[in-house]
């Protein structure tokens, strides 16, 4: 059983310091590579799916969250307001109010819909110290968030497309969903009191799930305060579940922010807001990836993708040239020369690297590299040009396979 907190330290991915504070991890270079690569993957997937990216500030006036409903229904998870001149500002607990304001920054036509708006943005949750742990529960969160503003007729298809994006990402990342959950309201006063809103949104999400052909379970008390949601659940090696990805259909915030579009009839109509997150919190996603793969990330996500191992000093020049070629093609490659120990020790040290290229006297003379794969396979000696090309193709294709 892998623990991402222990592996994170051993692999040099992230760390913490009491002077920074609990629940506020920092990212070390290799961890930053994983995070950056994951974020770029998400951005590319969103762009291909028709999303446009925005940036919005991590602060907002208290009034913003009073309008959205967060102040009334979510205040215990928010940080206290800060007095700035005559205003009170708050670290945001969510990105959706900002995106609602971006939507209403100008008049919108039905021809623009669906308008898909995405952001990898920071948000802050006032988590109690006792529940904080590694990257899974933190106070500063980098969220992969998006909001689709659409007509009522478009909402189900947009939500269904979001589920498909999530499924594709899980396949590329080598993780799996243990179940899909339709999260409904429970007892208590934390939910918006609008029964008609809840019935409409719930019916649409059931239609999304039924049409997607995924089995799901209903769970009371797990909804957002403004509406029901589809939660995509993952589990660690101990069987503990967590929500990684979500899809929601929201009628509440478009009404609270008085959002509208001009329809084909020239009249004003209220859009529907589909909330959607492919990987949710980047921190939680990386924590799960570390534990799922034991630090042996898919090749496209690995901090180092290729390590080149000259057998002796005479082959170092050839090894440097292979590293140079790989880096020029965008691969993350490193040289591990004889000064780092015996060949066997260097191979063991690089056991989590997807590709190892050993260059001995024969390989150096013939322009070859003896390939060793992380999974134990040894495809043999191949020309260095072919090696770099094949690794580049596997990385570009993403997925979890190492060699074909």
């Amino acid at each position: 059983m892998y623990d991402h907190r222990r592996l994170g330290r051993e692999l040099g991915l992230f760390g913490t310091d009491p002077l920074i504070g609990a629940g506020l991890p920092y990212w070390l270079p290799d961890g930053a590579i994983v995070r950056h690569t994951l974020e770029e993957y998400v951005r590319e997937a969103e762009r291909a799916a028709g999303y446009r990216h925005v940036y919005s500030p991590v602060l907002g006036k208290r009034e913003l969250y009073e309008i959205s409903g967060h102040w009334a229904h979510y205040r215990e998870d928010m940080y206290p307001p800060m007095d700035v001149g005559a205003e009170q500002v708050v670290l945001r607990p969510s990105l959706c109010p900002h995106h609602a304001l971006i939507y209403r920054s100008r008049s919108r036509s039905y021809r623009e819909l669906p308008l898909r708006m995405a952001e990898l943005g920071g948000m802050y949750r006032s988590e109690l110290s006792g529940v904080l742990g590694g990257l899974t529960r933190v106070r500063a969160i980098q969220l992969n968030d998006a909001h689709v503003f659409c007509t009522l007729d478009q909402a189900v298809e947009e939500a269904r497309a979001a589920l498909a994006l999530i499924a594709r990402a899980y396949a590329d990342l080598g993780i799996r969903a243990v179940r899909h959950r339709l999260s409904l309201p429970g007892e208590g006063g934390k939910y918006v009191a609008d029964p008609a809103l809840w019935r409409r949104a719930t019916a649409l999400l059931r239609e999304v799930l039924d049409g997607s052909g995924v089995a799901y379970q209903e769970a009371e008390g797990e909804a957002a305060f403004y509406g029901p949601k589809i939660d995509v659940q993952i589990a660690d090696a101990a069987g503990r579940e967590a929500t990684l990805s979500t899809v929601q259909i929201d009628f509440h915030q478009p009404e609270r922010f008085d959002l509208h579009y001009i329809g084909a009839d020239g009249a004003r109509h209220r859009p529907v807001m589909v909330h959607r997150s492919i990987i949710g919190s980047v921190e939680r996603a990386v924590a799960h990836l570390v534990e799922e793969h034991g630090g042996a990330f898919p090749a496209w996500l690995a901090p180092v993708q290729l390590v080149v191992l000259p057998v002796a000093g005479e082959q170092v020049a050839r090894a440097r040239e292979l590293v140079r070629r790989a880096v020029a093609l965008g691969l993350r490659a490193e040289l591990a020369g004889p000064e780092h120990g015996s060949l066997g020790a260097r191979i063991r040290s690089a056991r989590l690297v997807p590709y190892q290229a050993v260059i001995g006297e024969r390989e150096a003379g013939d322009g070859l590299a003896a390939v060793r794969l992380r999974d134990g396979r040894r495809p043999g000696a191949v020309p260095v040009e072919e090696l770099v090309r094949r690794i580049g193709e596997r990385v570009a294709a993403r997925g979890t396979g190492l060699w074909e």
Side-chain angles (χ1 to χ4, degrees), residues 301-353:
L301 198 56
V304 179
Q305 295 163 326
L306 168 66
V307 63
V308 183
L309 303 148
V311 173
E314 292 78 10
Q315 292 90 48
V316 168
R318 289 288 190 183
R320 290 190 192 281
E321 175 61 19
L322 175 51
V323 170
R324 187 195 65 77
R325 291 189 184 194
V327 170
L329 285 178
L331 298 175
R332 296 186 287 274
E334 291 184 357
L335 174 69
E339 70 276 12
H340 295 290
S342 68
L343 180 61
R346 286 179 278 150
I347 288 173
R348 288 190 296 274
S349 179
R351 67 191 182 280
L352 296 180
V353 177

Side-chain angles (χ1 to χ4, degrees), residues 139-188:
R139 288 172 169 161
I141 302 165
Q142 193 72 11
L143 187 69
N144 158 230
D145 206 9
H147 298 93
V148 181
F149 301 89
C150 60
T151 68
L152 181 60
D153 290 342
Q154 295 168 335
V156 167
E157 184 52 40
E158 288 299 315
R160 192 174 294 152
L163 275 184
L165 269 179
I166 293 167
R168 172 61 189 273
Y170 282 28
D172 288 345
L173 292 166
I175 60 179
R176 66 183 186 89
V178 294
R179 68 187 178 110
H180 290 69
R181 185 178 74 191
L182 178 57
S183 295
L184 303 173
E187 298 296 327

Side-chain angles (χ1 to χ4, degrees), residues 54 99-113 115 117 149 259-263 267-269 271:
V54 298
H99 289 188
L101 294 185
I102 293 173
Y103 175 88
R104 80 172 195 185
S105 62
R106 65 172 178 81
S107 178
R108 305 286 180 178
S109 164
Y110 73 96
R111 295 185 179 89
E112 298 177 66
L113 305 185
L115 191 157
M117 188 184 302
F149 301 89
L259 305 184
H260 62 270
Y261 64 90
I262 305 303
R268 288 159 53 109
H269 299 269

